[in-house]
Amino acid sequence: MAVIGTWLSQAVGTGLGCGTNPDLFFAESRPEEARAKELCAGCPVRAGCLAGALDRGEPWGVWGGELLLRGTIVHTKRARGRPRKSELAA
């Protein structure tokens, strides 16, 4: 946790997206996840942020412009609730 605290404390006041609204990077909705990824796009520490998150096996959130779930990069999260019947048939 000290590493995460260090990243956030360095980001606060610098204009980095994670320093202005850290909760956005752990949002549940897809539009908020997309917004977090957009904020990462031009970040000067993007590569280091992602590498660190993968090394630590971060359980979830947007790190370095990528969505992580259980320590791995995923394209999108499945929506909450039961899967649709069409998804089960596949």
Side-chain angles (χ1 to χ4, degrees):
M1 285 299 216
V3 173
I4 295 170
T6 301
W7 274 95
L8 290 177
S9 64
Q10 289 175 351
V12 172
T14 63
L16 297 178
C18 56
T20 57
N21 187 2
D23 292 338
L24 182 65
F25 293 81
F26 300 97
E28 291 289 329
S29 75
R30 289 184 181 172
E32 289 177 321
E33 288 171 4
R35 177 67 182 134
K37 289 179 179 183
E38 287 174 10
L39 291 173
C40 290
C43 181
V45 294
R46 180 179 179 182
C49 177
L50 178 58
L54 291 170
D55 288 346
R56 292 187 304 275
E58 286 294 338
W60 66 293
V62 174
W63 294 88
E66 299 292 342
L67 178 62
L68 271 63
L69 185 61
R70 295 185 187 107
T72 60
I73 296 172
V74 295
H75 182 64
T76 58
K77 288 193 294 190
R78 186 178 69 77
R80 295 179 92 169
R82 295 180 67 177
R84 296 181 181 185
K85 289 183 181 182
S86 62
E87 292 176 15
L88 292 175

